[in-house]
Amino acid sequence: MSSKEYGRKRNFSRTPEPRAESGEASGKSTDESIFVIQKHDASSLHYDFRIEVDGTLKSWAVPKGPSTDPREKRLAIPTEDHPLDYADFEGVIPEDQYGGGTVLVWDRGAYENITEKDDGVVPMSKALEQGHALIKLHGKKVSGGYALQRTSKGENTRWLLVKMDDDEADARRNPVSTEPKSVLSGRTIEEIAEEEGAEKSEK
Ligand code: MN
């Protein structure tokens, strides 16, 4: 889904979210690509999983969040591309705006594309187009290989996000529930809602 959809869905005089593509590539360090997982307490709580691909953040909403157990397949619903700046966004989106609710940066870091075919790395954009991508995350809470697998196409395109069975796989961990705080600010989602929500109403 294109990033135009991102701008079309939002009123930037009302939401504190970054404008579409305002940051350009200027603040970006080297050729490292980033991923971010944002906990989003909207009408239904979910985790927005985003990876940088060709200057934008490809995005999925993962209702249960990522698992560290390779046997757990997590549903991932594709959403519109988000601007790169969005990876730093934490705060409260007004209830009357698209995606209204509190956003917390749950995990963030670099990722590597490890999708291979015929001894070569498949470019990430192509891998996603083909519905199968392997990535290696270097986050604070989740790390190691993850597979993104498309399971249906068309109107109701669905993907699965599944931990690969590698050294970082651990069926006993459950970081979604045991490590709820923001890796950016150390705050809980309740604290963000309280602090940022209060700032808003003072204006
Ligand atoms: Mn969301």
Side-chain angles (χ1 to χ4, degrees):
M1 276 177 237
S2 78
S3 52
K4 273 183 194 144
E5 191 178 342
Y6 175 85
R8 214 165 47 229
K9 283 181 169 171
R10 291 166 173 81
N11 175 355
F12 294 104
S13 64
R14 297 274 305 125
T15 179
E17 295 167 289
R19 279 169 189 275
E21 312 301 345
S22 63
E24 303 270 311
S26 54
K28 241 194 96 199
S29 63
T30 67
D31 54 6
E32 214 169 55
S33 296
I34 59 154
F35 83 94
V36 64
I37 302 171
Q38 282 156 317
K39 184 177 183 177
H40 188 183
D41 189 10
S43 50
S44 59
L45 181 77
H46 60 272
Y47 291 77
D48 288 298
F49 184 73
R50 312 185 198 280
I51 59 173
E52 177 183 356
V53 180
D54 299 339
T56 190
L57 292 172
K58 291 285 168 192
S59 302
W60 293 260
V62 181
K64 290 183 170 179
S67 176
T68 53
D69 181 352
R71 291 168 304 183
E72 283 275 332
K73 295 178 169 68
R74 293 288 158 91
L75 172 67
I77 303 156
T79 57
E80 76 276 17
D81 293 354
H82 279 51
L84 281 184
D85 287 352
Y86 208 91
D88 295 320
F89 176 71
E90 187 166 273
V92 176
I93 302 166
E95 289 299 334
D96 61 354
Q97 292 299 298
Y98 179 76
T102 308
V103 176
L104 170 154
V105 177
W106 186 77
D107 203 4
R108 225 199 105 131
Y111 86 90
E112 294 166 61
N113 175 13
I114 54 168
T115 320
E116 288 188 11
K117 199 175 188 181
D118 305 327
D119 299 328
V121 174
V122 182
M124 187 50 62
S125 53
K126 194 174 178 193
L128 293 177
E129 220 176 87
Q130 295 175 341
H132 176 72
L134 300 179
I135 54 182
K136 190 171 184 182
L137 306 180
H138 301 280
K140 291 192 168 107
K141 297 175 185 171
V142 289
S143 56
Y146 276 83
L148 275 164
Q149 180 68 49
R150 189 167 58 210
T151 56
S152 62
K153 286 177 89 168
E155 285 263 307
N156 291 305
T157 305
R158 293 291 180 265
W159 294 66
L160 291 172
L161 175 68
V162 188
K163 180 77 193 80
M164 288 165 71
D165 199 357
D166 56 17
D167 287 349
E168 289 84 6
D170 188 344
R172 291 159 306 179
R173 280 186 70 211
N174 186 7
V176 162
S177 56
T178 60
E179 300 172 56
K181 290 179 181 175
S182 165
V183 294
L184 271 195
S185 64
R187 295 180 293 178
T188 63
I189 202 133
E190 291 79 15
E191 286 167 340
I192 294 168
E194 207 170 291
E195 289 167 23
E196 311 270 335
E199 261 172 46
K200 288 270 138 41
S201 56
E202 280 162 20
K203 280 178 192 166

